[in-house]
Amino acid sequence: MEGGVGTRRRATGFRSRSVDPEVDGSGVFGASETSPLLMRDRAPSMWGRLRNRFRSITAAEQQHPAEYVAPHRRHFARQMVYESLDYEITESRVEMKERRKLTLKDHFRDVILRWVILFFIGIFTAFAAFAIDVGIKIISKYKFGFIRDSISRCTKHDCLSQSFGIWVGLDILLVGLAGVMVCFIAPIAAGSGIPEVKCYLNGIKMPEVVRLKTLVTKAIGVMFAVSGGMTIGKEGPMIHSGAVVAAGLSQGKSTSIRWLDTRFLKQFRNDVEKRDFVSGGAAAGVSAAFGAPIGGVLFSLEEGASFWNQFLTWRIFFCSMTATFVLNILLSTFENGNPGALSNPGLINFGKFEDMPYNLSELPLFIIMGVIGGLLGAAFNSINEKLTHFRMHHVFTPHAKLLEVLAVTVLTTVIFFTLIFFSDDCLPLGQSPESSSPLQFFCEEHQYSAMGALLFNTPEDSIKNLFHGPKDAYTSSTLAFFAIAYWALACITYGLSIPSGLFVPCLLTGASWGRLVGNIMASIFPGATWVIPGKYALIGAAAMLAGVVRMTISLTVIIIEATGNVTYGLPIMLAVIFAKLVGDYFNEGLYDIHIELKHIPLLPWAPPPVASHRLQAQDFMSRDIQCVRMLNRVGDIYRLLRTSKHNAFPVIAWHEDATVETNGLAIVQGMVLRQHLIALLKHRGYGHKIGNMVAKNELALDELTQDYPRWPKISSVDVPKEDYDMWMDLRPYMNPSPYLVQASCSLAKIFRLFRTMGLRHLVVVNKMNELVGLVTRKDLANITNDMKREDFLHSRLS
Ligand code: ATP
């Protein structure tokens, strides 16, 4: 260990020591056959096998970290791609020096600044939503107008193939543009972005997730893809857009455009502050999308933020309220031409449900609809999971992805055209739902095609029509065919390389089968005034969405706010809860499925209830920890960083200080992050050693953190050979009070620590407070996810 840096290996002969883990926590190093835990498990129980499994995996991983891929943890190696964010508040000497300089006035200034920034995040998110909405409306107006004229002309002159060609051509052009942007500029902009935002808030550094180019691709892409007639919505991407806006504005600089650095807001350039702003941005996105400020706050709480406090709730609510208010002004002024009448709080407008009471006796029906939503959602998720799996293995080059986008675009248009062509559902014009411009197609004069009204419209307008259309506006066969086709298309489409929201297709599918339930009720109870198809459409929409995404409280509140109807709170809640319960029996929500398929180490809400009390830190921690000393030779640090991929290293005492070492184990003095070691090498934060000190002025916090959030790689730092024998003093830069637990600490307790404190690393010590292991949030995510499956299996077998 001379030289100061290395691996804390077990002392020779330690194995032969008589080990009593109850007396000496260092017993965790003992050979497994001496472990009292295993001796207790004479007939190997499932838990015994599980413990052994994790122990052997950890050992094997440490021997062959790069190659080791256990069959049941194949995803571990891939998870290494994702680093964690630092949500822990550290107290290094240089940080404390800066913090102690702050006066009450500075604190007050920061509080005000946080509110101001959130206010601007709300405004910018509203503008982004408005721009997307206007773009879609303009493009759709021209596209639908053009095709409608062609269809009207060609139904008379028998040239419908020409109209079909125009329709397909326009869709390919529009969706193709979105696909090109995603495939070749910002692949992370694909999908709704909700899983990515969720992971970011959970503490995972998702590459490029909050970059400017992601925002631009997302906004323009969703505009083209929705206008291109895909079975997607613009609302999900709004949440991601809000998050990117927040991440950019709160930092006062752009990492993509290097010269765009205002040099303001430096105090917010860290993961903890940025996470809070991103929570606000995501809430503003929901708020702008659905006109649901409270739903936005709850969404951030339910889906995203792992760490929450009252101040944050209040600030995020302010941000989402700003977003909905500004969007309301913009839409009322520029779209309705009436700035005084603020009546458009969100992009999607479900319309008002007035004079639509429900009976208590209908509640069982709403529950049944919830069950149907759960079943349909589970089937949706299961098929989409298999499809995504297939895509990941067979459609992974940008060109192949683009080709797939174009193929699904053609398929969508063909299905839409076929449905309109073959449906025989002409209805008199008076019955036409208010906001649609009806398509006559093969119908007589003064009639319209009901299927055409559903498909030849923006999805948002179709939802509104299903909610508010008159009783006989849609025949049952139209609704059934439409629901099946839309369900299947939405299932294929989610996961394509285009920005796409899941909310609207789910709502639309649910609204159509919900309305079908309404039609059935109307035929069972002819003439009953309480049978209003619109209310079943509403419950169906909520059930379907909950069956797919499995959100509960935020979804209920979003729908209540979007419909402006508290009366339906209970039926919606019942449908949502039952859809979730039934869906959860079969699989997870679609966002979680996608997160798992990408091997992202997401920390779940809670540890597995039974297993978490049976496993202790010593069962799953990493051993043979790579540490650094308080004083190190530069060459040793440089070599360590070049050979190790770890992002944090426990700091142990200087080797001449004999009192801290016992039997090759050491007492932890602190933790130091890889990025700080690299910054020290980069800025030559080292010097010659004089006694126990290094002759070098401390680096300022600014220098240490100036590269945030894109820390340089060690390969980009050049350390001259002649510096190798100089010394680096880590005492000013290490976190002197990292969180420590005993080796016997239960998984449940460790889990709570990680969740509540936002930890990234946790040091494990024995009864003598000597370093024996390390647990990272990735270790924890792995083990809890693995055990979740084990619990699942167990519950099925027993
Ligand atoms: P991040 O999550 O930011 O990438 P990290 O790289 O420090 O943090 P992980 O990627 O979770 O941590 O580490 C991978 C494996 O290496 C884990 O099993 C972890 O316990 C182990 N590990 C982490 N740091 C060290 C270290 N300093 N010495 C030995 N093993 C470590």
Side-chain angles (χ1 to χ4, degrees):
M1 291 304 293
E2 178 65 37
V5 181
T7 305
R8 303 302 308 159
R9 292 201 176 279
R10 200 162 41 221
T12 340
F14 186 83
R15 212 182 252 256
S16 56
R17 249 167 65 182
S18 118
V19 174
D20 178 4
E22 293 305 317
V23 179
D24 176 0
S26 58
V28 292
F29 280 120
S32 56
E33 60 272 17
T34 60
S35 162
L37 272 172
L38 295 184
M39 285 200 291
R40 264 203 311 273
D41 298 332
R42 262 189 206 113
S45 65
M46 190 185 79
W47 305 113
R49 286 202 309 275
L50 194 65
R51 254 194 314 262
N52 288 343
R53 207 177 79 179
F54 283 117
R55 281 180 176 178
S56 61
I57 290 164
T58 320
E61 271 163 5
Q62 277 163 8
Q63 277 168 22
H64 314 284
E67 312 94 72
Y68 182 74
V69 195
H72 46 284
R73 283 182 67 180
R74 266 196 194 109
H75 57 286
F76 191 88
R78 288 193 224 162
Q79 286 195 350
M80 301 298 242
V81 179
Y82 300 103
E83 293 189 350
S84 305
L85 293 162
D86 273 313
Y87 289 162
E88 183 184 347
I89 295 167
T90 56
E91 297 193 327
S92 69
R93 212 156 76 195
V94 285
E95 278 170 297
M96 291 313 285
K97 207 158 126 189
E98 291 298 320
R99 270 180 224 157
R100 286 192 187 116
K101 280 187 204 157
L102 294 179
T103 59
L104 205 59
K105 208 170 121 193
D106 295 323
H107 282 291
F108 187 64
R109 181 205 58 202
D110 285 354
V111 170
I112 302 280
L113 267 177
R114 283 194 190 96
W115 286 91
V116 173
I117 294 168
L118 283 164
F119 179 64
F120 280 103
I121 292 171
I123 294 180
F124 275 74
T125 307
F127 270 94
F130 178 68
I132 293 173
D133 192 51
V134 169
I136 292 174
K137 281 195 174 134
I138 293 175
I139 301 173
S140 301
K141 188 176 149 203
Y142 284 109
K143 182 191 119 176
F144 285 135
F146 201 53
I147 302 169
R148 183 175 290 112
D149 291 348
S150 168
I151 289 180
S152 308
R153 187 165 37 81
C154 283
T155 29
K156 289 183 189 113
H157 298 101
D158 204 13
C159 59
L160 271 177
S161 56
Q162 207 183 72
S163 312
F164 173 69
I166 292 173
W167 193 346
V168 173
L170 284 175
D171 282 355
I172 286 182
L173 179 73
L174 291 167
V175 183
L177 279 171
V180 168
M181 289 186 77
V182 170
C183 294
F184 298 102
I185 299 174
I188 191 102
S192 70
I194 294 176
E196 285 79 8
V197 174
K198 185 172 166 167
C199 292
Y200 181 89
L201 295 176
N202 192 269
I204 300 152
K205 193 183 273 179
M206 302 287 295
E208 306 201 334
V209 76
V210 286
R211 292 259 185 95
L212 186 63
K213 71 170 182 182
T214 309
L215 174 65
V216 174
T217 308
K218 194 118 214 166
I220 301 181
V222 78
M223 213 158 77
F224 285 135
V226 171
S227 315
M230 300 300 275
T231 49
I232 57 171
K234 57 184 182 281
E235 285 69 19
M238 270 315 304
I239 297 161
H240 191 178
S241 305
V244 186
V245 167
L249 279 183
S250 63
Q251 302 298 291
K253 71 164 188 177
S254 162
T255 30
S256 310
I257 309 169
R258 294 236 168 225
W259 53 265
L260 196 63
D261 185 349
T262 59
R263 299 193 183 276
F264 289 125
L265 311 179
K266 280 191 178 167
Q267 65 274 40
F268 299 135
R269 291 182 191 171
N270 59 62
D271 289 340
V272 181
E273 292 284 353
K274 200 162 156 186
R275 174 199 62 203
D276 289 353
F277 288 115
V278 169
S279 306
V286 176
S287 173
F290 299 96
I294 302 172
V297 177
L298 292 175
F299 174 85
S300 272
L301 180 62
E302 186 176 358
E303 284 297 309
S306 319
F307 327 104
W308 202 261
N309 65 44
Q310 280 88 338
F311 291 120
L312 195 59
T313 317
W314 194 219
R315 284 204 301 264
I316 290 179
F317 181 56
F318 171 71
C319 182
S320 39
M321 197 50 107
T322 308
T324 183
F325 179 67
V326 174
L327 184 67
N328 207 338
I329 295 179
L330 290 171
L331 290 177
S332 307
T333 310
F334 296 103
E335 286 198 357
N336 297 358
N338 192 355
L342 299 180
S343 54
N344 292 284
L347 291 186
I348 194 165
N349 184 353
F350 292 144
K352 290 269 171 287
F353 286 83
E354 280 151 9
D355 301 329
M356 209 172 70
Y358 67 91
N359 251 316
L360 274 185
S361 58
E362 283 180 280
L363 289 183
L365 178 63
F366 297 147
I367 290 175
I368 293 171
M369 289 180 76
V371 173
I372 297 173
L375 291 173
L376 288 175
F380 187 101
N381 292 2
S382 172
I383 295 172
N384 189 273
E385 180 178 1
K386 290 194 174 65
L387 210 59
T388 310
H389 205 264
F390 176 84
R391 281 177 178 142
M392 288 169 80
H393 288 92
H394 301 284
V395 192
F396 47 81
T397 63
H399 291 93
K401 285 180 178 177
L402 182 62
L403 218 64
E404 190 197 14
V405 168
L406 297 180
V408 176
T409 310
V410 174
L411 180 74
T412 307
T413 317
V414 168
I415 291 181
F416 281 9
F417 195 83
T418 315
L419 278 176
I420 302 178
F421 191 83
F422 286 105
S423 50
D424 181 20
D425 55 355
C426 297
L427 293 169
L429 257 184
Q431 260 168 255
S432 167
E434 41 153 332
S435 65
S436 72
S437 35
L439 187 72
Q440 186 182 349
F441 218 62
F442 290 123
C443 301
E444 307 277 308
E445 275 304 306
H446 304 298
Q447 286 196 333
Y448 74 101
S449 156
M451 185 65 93
L454 276 176
L455 292 170
F456 214 69
N457 227 331
T458 59
E460 287 80 4
D461 279 343
S462 300
I463 294 176
K464 208 168 155 187
N465 293 339
L466 285 166
F467 285 169
H468 301 286
K471 235 179 191 173
D472 301 319
Y474 302 97
T475 61
S476 296
S477 62
T478 301
L479 291 168
F481 282 122
F482 176 80
I484 293 168
Y486 218 84
W487 181 92
L489 280 173
C491 187
I492 297 171
T493 305
Y494 191 75
L496 285 182
S497 290
I498 48 171
S500 55
L502 195 57
F503 279 58
V504 164
C506 288
L507 289 171
L508 187 48
T509 312
S512 49
W513 66 253
R515 202 170 164 113
L516 178 62
V517 172
N519 280 8
I520 295 170
M521 291 294 285
S523 61
I524 299 173
F525 303 102
T529 49
W530 53 269
V531 178
I532 306 162
K535 74 177 161 194
Y536 302 105
L538 175 65
I539 302 298
M544 185 71 220
L545 184 53
V548 173
V549 299
R550 312 283 161 79
M551 286 152 53
T552 46
I553 176 154
S554 55
L555 181 60
T556 309
V557 174
I558 287 172
I559 295 182
I560 290 174
E561 285 187 289
T563 51
N565 192 339
V566 182
T567 319
Y568 273 83
L570 181 69
I572 291 171
M573 194 187 79
L574 283 177
V576 165
I577 287 177
F578 276 86
K580 182 172 163 60
L581 281 178
V582 172
D584 279 351
Y585 180 78
F586 296 99
N587 47 34
E588 288 186 280
L590 196 55
Y591 298 141
D592 292 321
I593 288 176
H594 276 250
I595 288 171
E596 207 165 323
L597 282 174
K598 287 182 189 157
H599 306 285
I600 303 172
L602 189 88
L603 215 53
W605 275 113
V610 182
S612 61
H613 296 289
R614 301 190 185 205
L615 286 175
Q616 299 174 332
Q618 59 197 1
D619 298 321
F620 54 87
M621 69 187 185
S622 288
R623 297 145 194 258
D624 290 349
I625 302 306
Q626 290 183 313
C627 337
V628 290
R629 293 176 179 271
M630 295 198 295
L631 289 183
N632 304 274
R633 275 186 217 280
V634 169
D636 291 331
I637 293 283
Y638 187 52
R639 258 190 301 278
L640 173 76
L641 294 177
R642 289 200 76 107
T643 51
S644 163
K645 292 247 175 298
H646 300 310
N647 281 310
F649 304 94
V651 182
I652 53 173
W654 185 39
H655 68 286
E656 283 173 21
D657 188 352
T659 54
V660 295
E661 293 231 27
T662 30
N663 273 328
L665 300 170
I667 292 176
V668 183
Q669 307 290 324
M671 275 301 259
V672 67
L673 290 174
R674 181 189 187 85
Q675 67 228 28
H676 292 161
L677 291 177
I678 295 180
L680 283 170
L681 289 178
K682 188 177 157 188
H683 297 289
R684 307 198 69 199
Y686 46 78
H688 292 286
K689 184 153 77 84
I690 305 164
N692 268 2
M693 308 297 286
V694 172
K696 169 76 193 172
N697 285 341
E698 266 178 33
L699 239 62
L701 186 62
D702 253 9
E703 280 174 294
L704 210 60
T705 55
Q706 72 181 27
D707 288 315
Y708 177 82
R710 284 198 216 168
W711 303 109
K713 299 240 174 307
I714 185 65
S715 51
S716 67
V717 180
D718 199 23
V719 180
K721 279 227 164 57
E722 53 274 22
D723 289 358
Y724 281 13
D725 277 335
M726 288 189 173
W727 289 80
M728 190 185 271
D729 185 355
L730 295 181
R731 280 170 290 193
Y733 314 106
M734 68 183 193
N735 176 13
S737 46
Y739 288 91
L740 311 171
V741 291
Q742 290 285 320
S744 55
C745 186
S746 75
L747 172 63
K749 191 165 177 177
I750 292 179
F751 191 92
R752 266 197 294 277
L753 250 178
F754 268 87
R755 258 331 275 207
T756 48
M757 307 310 295
L759 298 191
R760 186 178 178 186
H761 301 94
L762 180 69
V763 177
V764 186
V765 294
N766 63 17
K767 292 268 159 56
M768 262 88 83
N769 276 334
E770 295 158 335
L771 167 71
V772 293
L774 193 76
V775 177
T776 64
R777 73 172 293 295
K778 225 180 275 169
D779 284 332
L780 210 61
N782 261 325
I783 199 168
T784 44
N785 286 328
D786 272 4
M787 282 197 296
K788 216 165 53 184
R789 278 190 282 276
E790 199 85 18
D791 277 352
F792 184 72
L793 206 69
H794 189 240
S795 68
R796 284 302 160 90
L797 292 176
S798 54

PDB file of all heavy atoms in Angstrom, residues 391 550 635:
ATOM      1  N   ARG A 391     -37.431  -4.694 -31.387  1.00  0.00           N
ATOM      2  CA  ARG A 391     -36.793  -3.501 -31.961  1.00  0.00           C
ATOM      3  C   ARG A 391     -35.354  -3.355 -31.471  1.00  0.00           C
ATOM      4  O   ARG A 391     -34.458  -3.012 -32.231  1.00  0.00           O
ATOM      5  CB  ARG A 391     -37.579  -2.247 -31.552  1.00  0.00           C
ATOM      6  CG  ARG A 391     -38.812  -2.054 -32.388  1.00  0.00           C
ATOM      7  CD  ARG A 391     -39.604  -0.853 -31.916  1.00  0.00           C
ATOM      8  NE  ARG A 391     -40.756  -0.679 -32.786  1.00  0.00           N
ATOM      9  CZ  ARG A 391     -41.948  -0.305 -32.377  1.00  0.00           C
ATOM     10  NH1 ARG A 391     -42.164  -0.040 -31.117  1.00  0.00           N
ATOM     11  NH2 ARG A 391     -42.933  -0.172 -33.234  1.00  0.00           N
ATOM     12  N   ARG A 550     -50.500   3.185 -15.456  1.00  0.00           N
ATOM     13  CA  ARG A 550     -50.611   2.813 -14.040  1.00  0.00           C
ATOM     14  C   ARG A 550     -50.363   3.983 -13.081  1.00  0.00           C
ATOM     15  O   ARG A 550     -49.848   3.780 -11.978  1.00  0.00           O
ATOM     16  CB  ARG A 550     -49.647   1.664 -13.675  1.00  0.00           C
ATOM     17  CG  ARG A 550     -49.672   0.500 -14.601  1.00  0.00           C
ATOM     18  CD  ARG A 550     -50.867  -0.386 -14.381  1.00  0.00           C
ATOM     19  NE  ARG A 550     -51.099  -1.216 -15.541  1.00  0.00           N
ATOM     20  CZ  ARG A 550     -50.423  -2.312 -15.834  1.00  0.00           C
ATOM     21  NH1 ARG A 550     -49.503  -2.735 -15.010  1.00  0.00           N
ATOM     22  NH2 ARG A 550     -50.709  -2.993 -16.917  1.00  0.00           N
ATOM     23  N   GLY A 635       1.054  10.346  -9.341  1.00  0.00           N
ATOM     24  CA  GLY A 635       1.115   9.207 -10.263  1.00  0.00           C
ATOM     25  C   GLY A 635       0.125   8.120  -9.869  1.00  0.00           C
ATOM     26  O   GLY A 635      -0.510   7.507 -10.729  1.00  0.00           O
TER      27      GLY A 635
END
